[in-house]
Amino acid sequence: GGLSMVIIPANAKGVTVTKLEAAGWWAGNTTLVKFEDVQVPVEMLIGQEGKGFEVMATVMNGERLIGCLGPLRSARMLLEESIKFARERKTFGQRLSDSQVIRHKFAQMARRCEAAQGIVEGIAYSMKCGAGAKEIGGPMALAKVEAGSALEYCAREASQILGGASFLRQGKGQLVERLAREVRVSIVGGGSEEIMLDLAMRMSKV
């Protein structure tokens, strides 16, 4: 027994693929796939029968590395857009960026970005040096949580700095609006925080 991995062509008899409307990632391919009496030839088996989870395990860390880098890039873009906006926006006779409160927001956003970046780069170097799934599985799970947390924080603070502009899908805040709207898929996709934290602790045998 056990899980097996197979390839099923989207145009195979009995397969129905329906695109779903999502809050974000509009150019993505979030779909509902239905199978009705689908027959799969034995040659479509990937690897050995019953060893599908092992196949998945070999690619999960690579997927989660991407799941770290995407949110990190988005977090940095949110910081960049916040700084750009605050340098141009004037309130009470001075630039918004001249306010100590706003500068502290920049500092906290940057701190979280740099911390997550350092963790991810360390894991990437370990992978380059040959570390296997067992060695990096736990740290990678924690890194994904850290990167997602940085993105969530930066999305909130960017929205605070831009104010109402961050709620519009046009004008100076349109990128912040989009990135904030797409936060959830970065947090949940590839394994939610709860799953990642539990995985890290199980792999460390706590």
Side-chain angles (χ1 to χ4, degrees):
L3 182 71
S4 296
M5 294 282 289
V6 296
I7 298 175
I8 302 177
N11 60 356
K13 185 178 180 181
V15 177
T16 304
V17 181
T18 305
K19 184 173 176 58
L20 300 176
E21 293 185 5
W25 280 17
W26 294 348
N29 197 27
T30 304
T31 57
L32 172 65
V33 183
K34 294 182 180 180
F35 302 100
E36 186 174 349
D37 298 326
V38 178
Q39 296 184 2
V40 183
V42 68
E43 59 265 24
M44 303 301 274
L45 177 68
I46 300 175
Q48 299 179 13
E49 186 175 353
K51 301 292 184 180
F53 186 80
E54 294 179 11
V55 175
M56 292 173 61
T58 61
V59 299
M60 281 181 178
N61 285 320
E63 177 191 4
R64 286 172 186 154
L65 180 61
I66 295 172
C68 292
L69 297 174
L72 265 175
R73 180 60 187 145
S74 294
R76 289 190 181 279
M77 290 172 70
L78 286 161
L79 174 56
E80 180 182 355
E81 289 298 305
S82 298
I83 294 173
K84 186 190 306 181
F85 180 88
R87 283 175 172 172
E88 295 178 357
R89 174 71 168 167
K90 287 189 176 182
T91 58
F92 303 106
Q94 66 175 6
R95 299 184 309 169
L96 195 59
S97 59
D98 292 330
S99 167
Q100 185 182 58
V101 172
I102 299 301
R103 292 200 302 272
H104 283 186
K105 287 183 180 294
F106 295 154
Q108 293 288 5
M109 293 166 77
R111 180 174 67 84
R112 284 166 169 78
C113 288
E114 292 302 319
Q117 183 80 37
I119 293 171
V120 173
E121 287 186 359
I123 294 174
Y125 182 73
S126 295
M127 294 174 72
K128 182 180 179 181
C129 293
K134 290 183 179 180
E135 290 81 18
I136 64 171
M140 183 70 79
L142 294 178
K144 183 180 180 299
V145 173
E146 188 68 20
S149 178
L151 172 57
E152 277 192 305
Y153 182 87
C154 289
R156 181 190 184 281
E157 291 301 278
S159 296
Q160 291 296 106
I161 293 168
L162 270 72
S166 69
F167 195 64
L168 302 176
R169 293 182 181 175
Q170 60 186 22
K172 295 181 178 180
Q174 60 182 325
L175 181 55
V176 171
E177 184 278 330
R178 174 181 174 178
L179 292 173
R181 176 163 36 87
E182 296 181 344
V183 165
R184 297 295 354 132
V185 70
S186 295
I187 305 301
V188 177
S192 67
E193 284 187 0
E194 293 78 7
I195 296 296
M196 293 295 95
L197 292 173
D198 186 59
L199 172 64
M201 293 304 97
R202 284 191 286 110
M203 293 194 73
S204 64
K205 303 188 184 302
V206 170

